[in-house]
Amino acid sequence: MTARAFAYQAVYRYLVELIEASPYQGERQLPSLRQLAQRLGVSVSTTKYAYSLLEDEGRIVAKPKVGYFTRLMPTPPSTEHSPNLLEQVFASSRQPGMLALSSDVPAILLSLENPLLMIERELARHYPRSLTPQYLPFGELELRAALAERYTCSTDNYWQADQVYIGADLHSVLELSLNALDLAGTVALVESPCSWATLRQLQAANIRVIEMHLGADGRFDLPALNEQLKHAPIRLAVLSSTVNIPHGSRMPAEDKQHICQWLAERDIWLFENDTYGELYFAPQPARYRDFADPQKLLVFSTFDKVIGSEAPYGYVLCRGCGPPLQRAFRERAFRLSPIRQRAIAKLFTSKRIDTHLHRLRALLHDSMTRMKALLDEHGHGAFKVMTPHGGACFWLEATHPVDLQRVFERLLAERIVIAPGELFGQQGRWKQHMRLSFTLDWNKDIAQALKQLSQAIRQSP
């Protein structure tokens, strides 16, 4: 990684500190793109990109022909009367001066956004916009072919480009898939704790969720799972391909094989969550798709966890039910940049993504080790720490009964945001847990934040 390649991150941090250091909390004008570029010795395009990130976060607003201005940010909202804890976590995390221990952004440690944009500019010179098709209902063929190739493992386990579908984001492709496969309003089995994004998507589709809780070893109670599959009208199972997020554990291959056999016997769809599939620290383990019925398998993922926010597209791979999926994607009519998709495809076909992933996993592992040492040093017995097998976060459990809602509120007052465990389940099982990210801005005093977290837990009734 060169300083030039990630200059926008330095400019972004500079602007955040500039905004937060000001005692004036109202609207004020920021330096122009050119002024800031001259001040920091970077290109105007770099300053523009840093400003666009802040604008996306809602910290600043652009006024045409005038410039960029800070936005008046309200005091972090109280959670006392709020029914939606998830929205409180999101809103608080975006406040200036907040330290979000709740975030989960692996690519922040090593982004491919700059190389992606460089490839895109190069492609734009070779593919004039007037000759580029604007409507590709299933996504750019070059990217679909690259994903099919990447997911192909053998002559028995392979994919074709026409079995890959690309949409605006993960939310969109999951929504389309559930409706196209006639799964809305049915019953789904999920591993628990479960990604809040998955739970929210199932809830939006009016799907009743049955949670199977993971043990400390990352395994289900298999006899109990088999009984659920026998007696509940389950139509769908949503399971992680490698490491479970936020739990950080992995399911043994033999367990996955049993589960896939039971799902196939009962004609149950398997939705394999591959969002963190590449972020496993050890050699790649077996995935559910290695054992699943190929006609009842859908794999879903997104690019942004690995590449960065400039690649927000979600995608699914599915062999069965091609016509309903094609119809759903045609009707939705995504308008995605063909050039951006081709640029992402180049990252895969050139194998640059593999070099990047090797380095990203190493950085994630280093950050995990660093955070684990701080937790051991400053936790003072307030929580149990399970070392994750991959991903970007720890799953912590309070060592004594505690009201984590009050801990959350107390830490908000100290400008620290955590993600309480109740966000990751619907049955109240995880109220003594929390997700703690280790993809953080290490320029901040993380040790002090962990001391405050430990103290808040130990002092909470």
Side-chain angles (χ1 to χ4, degrees):
M1 180 178 68
T2 65
R4 181 178 179 85
F6 294 95
Y8 78 90
Q9 294 179 335
V11 176
Y12 170 84
R13 287 194 294 268
Y14 170 83
L15 287 169
V16 169
E17 292 177 8
L18 181 68
I19 293 168
E20 294 179 356
S22 172
Y24 181 58
Q25 295 301 311
E27 182 182 88
R28 64 186 179 91
Q29 189 167 10
L30 293 166
S32 70
L33 297 175
R34 193 168 301 278
Q35 287 172 338
L36 190 62
Q38 291 175 347
R39 180 186 302 179
L40 300 179
V42 297
S43 68
V44 172
S45 62
T46 296
T47 58
K48 182 175 178 58
Y49 185 44
Y51 269 127
S52 70
L53 291 176
L54 289 168
E55 194 174 7
D56 288 344
E57 293 174 359
R59 295 192 181 203
I60 66 173
V61 60
K63 297 185 178 182
K65 299 182 180 179
V66 180
Y68 291 92
F69 291 78
T70 58
R71 175 172 283 170
L72 178 62
M73 301 297 284
T75 303
S78 168
T79 60
E80 185 175 355
H81 303 292
S82 172
N84 195 326
L85 178 60
L86 180 61
E87 294 304 324
Q88 293 294 332
V89 170
F90 279 165
S92 302
S93 298
R94 295 187 177 102
Q95 297 294 324
M98 283 289 187
L99 175 54
L101 298 178
S102 57
S103 62
D104 178 21
V105 191
I108 198 173
L109 295 182
L110 187 66
S111 171
L112 270 178
E113 289 172 350
N114 264 20
L116 174 65
L117 297 176
M118 290 173 62
I119 295 171
E120 183 177 352
R121 286 192 292 269
E122 181 66 25
L123 289 172
R125 288 195 286 270
H126 291 87
Y127 296 93
R129 187 171 294 275
S130 60
L131 301 179
T132 302
Q134 293 300 308
Y135 178 50
L136 299 164
F138 314 132
E140 168 60 48
L141 181 58
E142 190 174 339
L143 180 54
R144 297 169 69 203
L147 287 172
E149 178 184 348
R150 187 167 189 84
Y151 277 83
T152 292
C153 299
S154 67
T155 54
D156 297 321
N157 191 353
Y158 65 90
W159 299 88
Q160 303 288 0
D162 62 0
Q163 297 165 341
V164 181
Y165 305 84
I166 300 168
D169 52 33
L170 192 59
H171 166 83
S172 301
V173 297
L174 275 178
E175 178 184 28
L176 283 182
S177 300
L178 290 169
N179 289 326
L181 302 181
D182 198 27
L183 293 170
T186 62
V187 179
L189 181 139
V190 304
E191 60 196 355
S192 185
C194 180
S195 156
W196 61 262
T198 300
L199 288 174
R200 188 163 68 171
Q201 194 65 60
L202 296 174
Q203 183 180 25
N206 196 32
I207 291 175
R208 181 167 71 89
V209 170
I210 295 176
E211 297 181 23
M212 285 302 302
H213 300 125
L214 292 166
D217 58 357
R219 304 179 71 176
F220 294 137
D221 179 340
L222 288 182
L225 171 61
N226 197 16
E227 285 300 307
Q228 283 283 12
L229 294 174
K230 284 180 180 178
H231 301 295
I234 295 168
R235 292 275 310 282
L236 165 69
V238 184
L239 303 168
S240 297
S241 61
T242 58
V243 62
N244 168 277
I245 298 297
H247 199 255
S249 61
R250 68 172 180 86
M251 187 73 63
E254 58 271 22
D255 288 17
K256 291 180 177 178
Q257 192 167 9
H258 284 305
I259 293 167
C260 286
Q261 179 183 339
W262 295 336
L263 296 178
E265 289 171 354
R266 293 165 179 82
D267 203 31
I268 295 172
W269 273 97
L270 170 60
F271 275 38
E272 184 181 58
N273 184 352
D274 202 38
T275 309
Y276 299 87
E278 300 273 19
L279 301 180
Y280 190 73
F281 295 151
Q284 192 74 279
R287 288 74 44 96
Y288 281 100
R289 60 181 178 267
D290 297 331
F291 311 111
D293 175 359
Q295 297 303 313
K296 282 290 185 175
L297 169 68
L298 182 143
V299 181
F300 66 89
S301 190
T302 181
F303 300 106
D304 63 342
K305 297 295 184 186
V306 168
I307 295 176
S309 60
E310 288 297 304
Y313 308 138
Y315 62 87
V316 298
L317 297 93
C318 184
R319 292 186 184 85
C321 295
L325 277 171
Q326 291 169 10
R327 184 167 55 252
F329 274 78
R330 280 199 193 97
E331 291 173 354
R332 178 60 177 80
F334 288 114
R335 301 281 177 172
L336 310 179
S337 166
I339 296 294
R340 178 66 54 86
Q341 292 180 76
R342 285 180 182 149
I344 296 172
K346 293 292 184 188
L347 293 174
F348 283 89
T349 56
S350 68
K351 305 302 181 184
R352 186 168 189 169
I353 194 74
D354 295 306
T355 302
H356 169 76
L357 281 167
H358 179 75
R359 297 170 63 196
L360 178 58
R361 283 190 290 262
L363 287 174
L364 285 168
H365 189 271
D366 288 346
S367 292
M368 181 271 291
T369 303
R370 184 176 180 182
M371 179 66 87
K372 176 68 164 55
L374 290 175
L375 287 168
D376 291 342
E377 181 180 356
H378 303 295
H380 301 297
F383 32 70
K384 298 176 185 175
V385 182
M386 184 174 73
T387 302
H389 290 267
C393 63
F394 282 98
W395 186 242
L396 305 183
E397 179 183 3
T399 53
H400 69 277
V402 61
D403 186 345
L404 273 179
Q405 181 78 11
R406 289 194 177 184
V407 171
F408 174 73
E409 293 169 6
R410 172 175 172 173
L411 290 173
L412 270 191
E414 299 175 15
R415 310 202 71 77
I416 296 171
V417 187
I418 62 170
E422 63 184 273
L423 294 175
F424 305 95
Q426 296 181 349
Q427 299 174 353
R429 172 68 179 263
W430 308 112
K431 288 189 174 182
Q432 297 299 303
H433 295 74
M434 74 185 77
R435 185 186 73 183
L436 182 74
S437 172
F438 48 78
T439 53
L440 301 163
D441 181 356
W442 287 96
N443 293 317
K444 296 188 176 181
D445 193 347
I446 305 302
Q448 178 58 35
L450 294 180
K451 290 178 185 177
Q452 291 170 258
L453 169 61
S454 171
Q455 185 178 28
I457 291 175
R458 286 184 285 111
Q459 293 180 353
S460 178

